[in-house]
Amino acid sequence: MLTSRTFLKRTRAGAVMKVVREHYLREDIACGAAACEQCGQQPGEPRLEAQPSGAASSLCPAPHYLLPDTNVLLSVITNVIVLQTVLQEVRKRSAPVYKRIRDVIANPEKHFYSFTNEHHRETYIEQEQGETSNDRNDKAIRVATKWYDEHLKKINSEETIQVILLTNDRNNKEKAVQEGLIAYTCEEYIKSLIANPDLVDRLACVSDEGKEIESGRIIFSEHLPLSKLQQGIKSGIYFQGTFRANRDNYLEATVWVHGDAEENKEIIIQGLKNLNRAVHEDLVAVELLAKDQWVAPSSVVLQDEGQNEDDDENEEEKENTLKSSVSKNMLRPSGRVVGIIKRNWRPFCGMLSKSQIKEARRHLFTPADRRIPRIRIETRQASTLEGQRIIVAIDGWPRNSRYPNDSAGDKETETEVLLLEHDVPHQPFSQAVLSFLPKMPWSITEEDMKFREDLRYLCVCSVDPPELENGNLEVGVHIADVSHFIRPGNALDQESAKRGTTVYLCEKRIDMVPELLSSNLCSLRSNVDRYFCMWYCHIVFLFKASLTYAEAQMRIDSANMKDNITTSLRGLNKLAKILKKRRVDNGALTLSSPEVRFHMDSETHDPIDLQTKELKETNSMVEEFMLLANISVAKKIHKEFSEYALLRKHPAPPPSNYDILVKAAKSKNLEIKTDSAKALADTLDKAESPEFPYLNTLLRILATRCMMQAVYFCSGMDNDFHHYGLASPIYTHFTSPIRRYADIIVHRLLAVAINADSTYPELTDKHKLADLCKNLNYRHKMAQYAQRASVAFHTQLFFKNTGVVNEEAYILFVRKNAIVVLIPKYGLEGTVFFEEKDKPKPNLSYNDEVPSLTVENTTFYPFDKVKVNVMLDASNIQHQKIRMALVEPKSHLLLTKTNLTSVPF
């Protein structure tokens, strides 16, 4: 059947022309219902289920299809009829939304069916004279709904399928009900869904759209457009850098300015308005303030604990505490954020802080990471979500809002929170990745043996080698040849490069490579042939014994054991001590950072004991040979590939980093020299007190905090190769290719250098290697943070089950309003505050030069010994705290609490 559509159109010149279009109507358009025999459904065509098994609704318990109008189309679930009328309207309003709907229709699992009602003979209607296009389309939707309702009654099925019209248009709904149709608003239907309460939040901003008025006050200055930022950076007016929020002070951040090595500098940002809506790790543009406005890094601990977004009456008072009088030599370049170059927004994990206003929809979300600002969320499920872990994504941050805005979702486990919060790739390996693993059972082939040296005749646990002709000893450091199984460019290689490193949590390991490699083919197993790599050749050998550090130590210490393996271990241990002394004499540092070990209940997997790890001689023995192998390989690959070697360096800290160490030592009448690594190492060795044996350990812990982060780099992109901590002119990572991707690249470079493999373009592209190093450095840093967070969480579990304990602790740092203490037994560190909300403030006197903090009549210095009462405060589930009360020295004013930080950084 042919009909015509006539309408008037105005041309660009202003003339009015009449347009007539032919419109074909058909009778053979299928309804899409799988059970319908009248319509002749095409095989394989996406269709509606015969018995809809989608969302169970209390409003409509019977099987039903949904027919939404344009405004609510994206809020429904499965078995949805999408009318041509609606689809055309969506296309006019938003091309991206239209594309998403087409994608959903094409997905057979969603059971979305597109019904061309505008060309169906029984559902097409003409627009009447004086009728608006919107009214005509609403009527077309009701006509199609009525046709479906009558059409589906003819289907022979156990239960009649109903069609529900969803519309947020009040007039359209009223007319539909008057015409005998089943019609609900989107909110009514979604709230009736029994199994999908989470969809309610999608309505949070729909029903009252346009009714809410944002606060008229302007809190932040406008961000400059990117074009102006680029011009300003080029002319030197603005500086580009990475925004790094302060974990302990939400009103302070630093921006590390990007540039040449000699131009790198740090700019301090203080105050809410100067922070100007930047979020941790954003790439920002900063304007330097005049020198008379420069500030010093604050020693005050401030946390945002307001209950709602307008709770800022104390904001100015808090900012004033940052600007207390300081000496001029403490002032640092200071600035303000003028624009955001690149956002680093991602899903954040945390908990909902429910508004105190009854039936409020707006609440504050508190991220688990204190460097992330609190986020305003809109939800109707605050009572349900309160006390649960949820994931929130920032949608925006208006100038008139104290907090950014978001959207929220459910959270399953604490480990998932931890991994997401630290951006750790942890999804199962895809089939594409697994397809590149070797087929099992795997065995060594004759073809591979052509390129390897066979050392299966040797006793390889460690080899007690014969003396060479020149009187030297030969020690073989055998490292799994992971690069044999992970070939350049395939899916397995790409996934390993993306992950960068294996992440070790307290009860879980997130592997960089699939388990077949990490726990089998590239792992040492007794009496099993394996491919390995030495710095001068590829080998195959039969591993004779697999020992833990403790087992190896027991063999060394046992006077009764004199077998070949034990004798070999003793020889290696003796040699390792010689190597270590040589390193230390050259200026290598011996620092300290307590690590903790949890003993888990075999059934509940909760920690039942917590203690610091005890390192044995065998740990040091293995470390010495690993270091020597890494240094030897670094020299080899740099000699062969001077521009393309992947190396690892440890920059020397700037002198100012040592201020806190030098001042703390001075408070105990000790001198620490920091002119060089050798001077530091020597003075640390001499800084001992017979009455205070733990003092030297505390000094080394403090020295560790002064260090810079070691990083990977490409030799062709840098001139400074020196590793400060090891006192080595060159260094790399070669010894752990199962858990570090950097080592895989180094293996490939070494293989080419010894003619055991061939090169490929990316291996000799220094710019691509530099980009790779950037990702590896990021993944390594986030893995460290994730591990610390895992320790912190398990420490909380331990104290939750243990209850109250009294333990000795030592002061590591003093702040203006707090002290930081370390409990050696647990490796537990916490910030102890002396000012609490809603409590009288004690008299505090802070001395930065000594340094010291006097609270009333009690003065605290670094390394002072105190006794604390320790228990878990779980009143705030989001940020559970270890509550500490000072037992010694005794004072009624020193009842305090500490945020759980766990192992030192």
Side-chain angles (χ1 to χ4, degrees):
M1 178 178 175
L2 177 65
T3 184
S4 61
R5 301 176 64 183
T6 305
F7 58 94
L8 301 177
K9 180 179 179 181
R10 185 179 296 276
T11 66
R12 290 184 180 180
V16 176
M17 60 182 295
K18 184 177 181 180
V19 178
V20 179
R21 287 182 178 170
E22 293 180 339
H23 191 81
Y24 291 90
L25 301 179
R26 299 162 52 186
E27 297 179 339
D28 59 348
I29 297 175
C31 70
C36 181
E37 299 177 354
Q38 307 174 63
C39 294
Q41 313 289 347
Q42 295 298 317
E45 183 180 2
R47 61 181 65 183
L48 306 164
E49 290 180 295
Q51 284 296 311
S53 57
S57 168
S58 58
L59 278 175
C60 186
H64 57 272
Y65 298 141
L66 299 175
L67 198 153
D69 70 359
T70 308
N71 294 321
V72 298
L73 179 56
L74 293 179
S75 300
V76 292
I77 310 171
T78 60
N79 288 299
V80 177
I81 300 166
V82 184
L83 297 180
Q84 181 185 3
T85 305
V86 172
L87 207 53
Q88 288 173 348
E89 280 196 63
V90 171
R91 187 174 190 175
K92 292 176 184 177
R93 295 190 191 184
S94 172
V97 173
Y98 173 78
K99 182 181 184 303
R100 284 194 301 173
I101 295 172
R102 297 300 306 185
D103 291 341
V104 173
I105 292 172
N107 184 351
E109 296 179 0
K110 290 291 186 181
H111 300 289
F112 271 49
Y113 180 74
S114 176
F115 179 65
T116 51
N117 64 303
E118 295 291 350
H119 288 275
H120 195 287
R121 185 174 179 177
E122 296 182 41
T123 57
Y124 172 74
I125 61 168
E126 295 278 359
Q127 183 174 348
E128 297 178 2
Q129 188 173 2
E131 186 178 43
T132 66
S133 297
N134 186 65
D135 288 342
R136 181 265 169 198
N137 289 343
D138 284 348
K139 184 166 67 175
I141 292 171
R142 296 196 300 275
V143 168
T145 305
K146 188 170 186 178
W147 178 85
Y148 257 105
D149 196 42
E150 294 174 352
H151 180 79
L152 294 177
K153 289 177 182 177
K154 303 173 185 177
I155 297 177
N156 295 323
S157 62
E158 297 178 1
E159 206 169 354
T160 303
I161 301 173
Q162 298 176 329
V163 175
I164 298 175
L165 171 62
L166 295 185
T167 176
N168 284 340
D169 187 314
R170 187 189 308 168
N171 292 331
N172 195 25
K173 181 192 172 187
E174 289 176 356
K175 290 179 181 179
V177 173
Q178 290 171 4
E179 295 171 12
L181 303 176
I182 301 174
Y184 300 118
T185 65
C186 190
E187 180 177 346
E188 289 171 338
Y189 182 77
I190 294 297
K191 282 187 173 181
S192 76
L193 299 181
I194 299 168
N196 297 83
D198 55 303
L199 289 180
V200 175
D201 279 338
R202 296 196 183 185
L203 304 172
C205 301
V206 174
S207 60
D208 296 324
E209 186 176 0
K211 294 182 182 179
E212 296 204 354
I213 302 174
E214 290 282 352
S215 168
R217 60 178 182 159
I218 299 298
I219 302 174
F220 301 102
S221 60
E222 188 174 359
H223 287 153
L224 297 179
L226 189 59
S227 57
K228 287 190 177 181
L229 294 180
Q230 291 172 336
Q231 292 173 6
I233 293 169
K234 188 175 181 180
S235 62
I237 299 174
Y238 306 134
F239 298 92
Q240 174 179 315
T242 303
F243 183 89
R244 291 171 181 162
N246 189 321
R247 190 185 298 271
D248 296 320
N249 188 338
Y250 76 101
L251 292 177
E252 182 173 284
T254 55
V255 173
W256 185 256
V257 177
H258 301 175
D260 297 332
E262 63 272 11
E263 294 179 358
N264 282 341
K265 60 182 174 183
E266 207 170 47
I267 297 177
I268 296 176
I269 314 292
Q270 271 188 11
L272 191 67
K273 293 183 179 180
N274 287 339
L275 296 174
N276 199 6
R277 297 170 287 158
V279 175
H280 183 64
E281 295 289 349
D282 280 354
L283 187 61
V284 300
V286 176
E287 180 181 38
L288 206 60
L289 298 176
K291 283 193 175 183
D292 61 357
Q293 297 181 51
W294 284 12
V295 297
S298 174
S299 298
V300 176
V301 179
L302 289 178
Q303 294 176 18
D304 187 1
E305 295 180 344
Q307 290 300 308
N308 58 69
E309 68 172 296
D310 298 316
D311 187 15
D312 58 356
E313 60 185 51
N314 296 320
E315 207 77 68
E316 289 187 11
E317 181 182 342
K318 291 179 180 179
E319 293 192 13
N320 288 335
T321 63
L322 303 178
K323 301 173 182 177
S324 55
S325 60
V326 292
S327 59
K328 288 187 177 181
N329 61 351
M330 294 176 64
L331 299 178
R332 298 286 183 271
S334 308
R336 67 183 186 96
V337 174
V338 295
I340 309 296
I341 298 171
K342 185 179 180 182
R343 284 290 190 188
N344 190 48
W345 290 351
R346 55 181 175 79
F348 301 108
C349 307
M351 286 190 174
L352 183 77
S353 299
K354 187 179 176 183
S355 173
Q356 296 176 348
I357 302 174
K358 190 177 180 181
E359 297 183 0
R361 285 187 344 200
R362 294 187 174 187
H363 309 273
L364 285 178
F365 163 84
T366 304
D369 187 345
R370 292 199 301 274
R371 295 171 300 184
I372 306 302
R374 303 177 88 191
I375 302 167
R376 185 185 69 182
I377 72 171
E378 297 195 23
T379 177
R380 299 172 187 268
Q381 302 183 86
S383 298
T384 304
L385 295 176
E386 189 176 22
Q388 296 185 22
R389 293 280 191 171
I390 59 175
I391 300 171
V392 162
I394 296 177
D395 287 336
W397 195 342
R399 294 174 60 197
N400 57 349
S401 175
R402 170 68 176 76
Y403 299 104
N405 303 324
D406 88 302
S407 57
D410 288 331
K411 178 64 200 66
E412 290 186 2
T413 64
E414 291 288 343
T415 300
E416 182 75 9
V417 168
L418 191 152
L419 295 171
L420 285 169
E421 191 62 40
H422 297 93
D423 195 19
V424 175
H426 59 283
Q427 299 303 320
F429 290 99
S430 67
Q431 286 302 315
V433 170
L434 298 177
S435 68
F436 286 96
L437 292 174
K439 307 303 179 189
M440 297 299 287
W442 175 85
S443 61
I444 292 173
T445 66
E446 292 184 7
E447 183 65 24
D448 286 334
M449 286 303 300
K450 295 178 182 178
F451 305 99
R452 294 179 184 270
E453 187 172 343
D454 193 342
L455 299 183
R456 283 177 283 191
Y457 64 92
L458 288 176
C459 170
V460 180
C461 161
S462 56
V463 181
D464 184 17
E467 283 197 7
L468 302 179
E469 291 182 2
N470 58 5
N472 293 336
L473 296 174
E474 182 180 276
V475 177
V477 178
H478 309 289
I479 305 301
D481 188 11
V482 181
S483 62
H484 172 81
F485 300 100
I486 302 180
R487 304 307 297 166
N490 65 26
L492 176 57
D493 181 49
Q494 292 172 7
E495 180 66 20
S496 302
K498 174 187 172 185
R499 298 189 176 210
T501 183
T502 293
V503 180
Y504 294 91
L505 308 180
C506 291
E507 276 196 284
K508 189 174 185 177
R509 186 184 73 200
I510 311 300
D511 284 326
M512 183 187 77
V513 299
E515 188 178 14
L516 179 62
L517 297 181
S518 64
S519 300
N520 189 343
L521 299 183
C522 297
S523 182
L524 298 180
R525 293 190 173 187
S526 298
N527 297 309
V528 177
D529 291 341
R530 285 291 180 259
Y531 285 160
F532 272 72
C533 180
M534 297 176 70
W535 77 268
Y536 57 84
C537 69
H538 279 184
I539 61 171
V540 59
F541 65 71
L542 181 67
F543 198 67
K544 304 296 184 183
S546 177
L547 304 175
T548 65
Y549 287 114
E551 288 169 340
Q553 190 67 52
M554 284 189 290
R555 282 176 174 264
I556 291 172
D557 295 340
S558 174
N560 299 323
M561 299 189 72
K562 298 180 181 179
D563 59 279
N564 189 28
I565 290 176
T566 303
T567 305
S568 297
L569 288 171
R570 291 186 183 124
L572 286 171
N573 195 38
K574 182 179 179 181
L575 181 56
K577 290 178 180 179
I578 296 172
L579 293 172
K580 183 171 184 177
K581 184 179 184 304
R582 185 184 300 169
R583 278 198 311 110
V584 172
D585 289 344
N586 288 335
L589 296 174
T590 303
L591 301 176
S592 181
S593 183
E595 293 185 61
V596 298
R597 181 187 299 278
F598 294 94
H599 296 277
M600 304 292 185
D601 186 285
S602 59
E603 293 185 3
T604 65
H605 298 287
D606 284 345
I608 56 177
D609 193 16
L610 168 63
Q611 55 191 221
T612 53
K613 290 182 181 178
E614 179 187 354
L615 296 180
K616 304 179 183 300
E617 274 191 354
T618 46
N619 292 89
S620 179
M621 177 187 77
V622 172
E623 180 186 23
E624 287 306 316
F625 291 113
M626 296 297 107
L627 292 174
L628 189 58
N630 286 336
I631 292 171
S632 301
V633 170
K635 292 176 180 177
K636 178 68 175 178
I637 62 174
H638 182 249
K639 181 181 178 181
E640 297 291 332
F641 303 99
S642 60
E643 291 288 302
Y644 316 116
L646 193 156
L647 303 175
R648 186 166 177 82
K649 69 174 181 176
H650 182 211
S656 60
N657 278 30
Y658 288 120
D659 287 350
I660 194 164
L661 172 64
V662 173
K663 289 179 181 180
K666 190 176 181 181
S667 71
K668 298 299 180 187
N669 298 315
L670 296 172
E671 183 184 14
I672 299 294
K673 295 182 178 179
T674 60
D675 302 339
S676 64
K678 174 67 172 169
L680 176 61
D682 289 344
T683 50
L684 282 174
D685 288 341
K686 296 174 184 176
E688 293 185 345
S689 171
E691 301 82 22
F692 189 4
Y694 197 65
L695 175 61
N696 190 262
T697 300
L698 289 170
L699 284 167
R700 293 182 189 275
I701 290 173
L702 216 54
T704 304
R705 311 297 180 84
C706 302
M707 295 298 120
M708 303 291 284
Q709 180 73 45
V711 292
Y712 297 109
F713 69 101
C714 174
S715 59
M717 304 291 281
D718 206 323
N719 295 321
D720 180 15
F721 295 4
H722 189 72
H723 196 291
Y724 180 81
L726 297 175
S728 176
I730 193 168
Y731 190 68
T732 193
H733 273 162
F734 162 77
T735 53
S736 295
I738 297 176
R739 63 183 182 92
R740 294 187 305 230
Y741 188 77
D743 301 52
I744 292 178
I745 295 296
V746 171
H747 274 235
R748 290 174 180 169
L749 289 166
L750 181 62
V752 176
I754 63 175
N755 297 316
D757 206 344
S758 56
T759 187
Y760 56 98
E762 288 79 6
L763 195 63
T764 54
D765 186 327
K766 60 183 181 182
H767 295 287
K768 289 187 177 179
L769 280 175
D771 289 340
L772 174 64
C773 289
K774 185 177 180 181
N775 179 63
L776 296 180
N777 290 330
Y778 172 73
R779 294 297 180 196
H780 179 74
K781 178 177 67 175
M782 298 314 290
Q784 287 181 320
Y785 290 165
Q787 183 175 351
R788 292 166 188 162
S790 179
V791 170
F793 172 63
H794 283 80
T795 303
Q796 290 176 358
L797 289 180
F798 170 72
F799 281 105
K800 181 179 180 181
N801 298 328
T802 303
V804 182
V805 297
N806 288 341
E807 293 295 342
E808 291 183 345
Y810 294 95
I811 297 175
L812 280 180
F813 308 100
V814 293
R815 306 295 192 200
K816 287 185 178 180
N817 63 339
I819 58 174
V820 179
V821 300
L822 171 70
I823 302 177
K825 180 178 178 180
Y826 301 131
L828 175 66
E829 181 185 325
T831 304
V832 182
F833 297 94
F834 293 109
E835 292 179 338
E836 292 198 55
K837 195 175 182 181
D838 302 325
K839 289 190 178 182
K841 293 183 178 181
N843 292 322
L844 303 179
S845 177
Y846 175 72
N847 187 332
D848 180 62
E849 290 302 319
V850 175
S852 65
L853 175 66
T854 301
V855 185
E856 296 294 338
N857 58 351
T858 305
T859 302
F860 297 93
Y861 298 92
F863 311 140
D864 277 0
K865 186 178 182 179
V866 295
K867 181 171 281 189
V868 292
N869 178 272
V870 188
M871 65 175 288
L872 179 67
D873 176 9
S875 58
N876 183 336
I877 303 176
Q878 167 62 26
H879 288 301
Q880 297 192 39
K881 298 173 182 178
I882 299 299
R883 183 171 287 276
M884 296 182 179
L886 285 171
V887 180
E888 295 177 6
K890 295 179 180 178
S891 172
H892 70 284
L893 287 168
L894 302 182
L895 178 66
T896 58
K897 65 181 178 181
T898 176
N899 291 322
L900 181 64
T901 320
S902 189
V903 291
F905 287 70

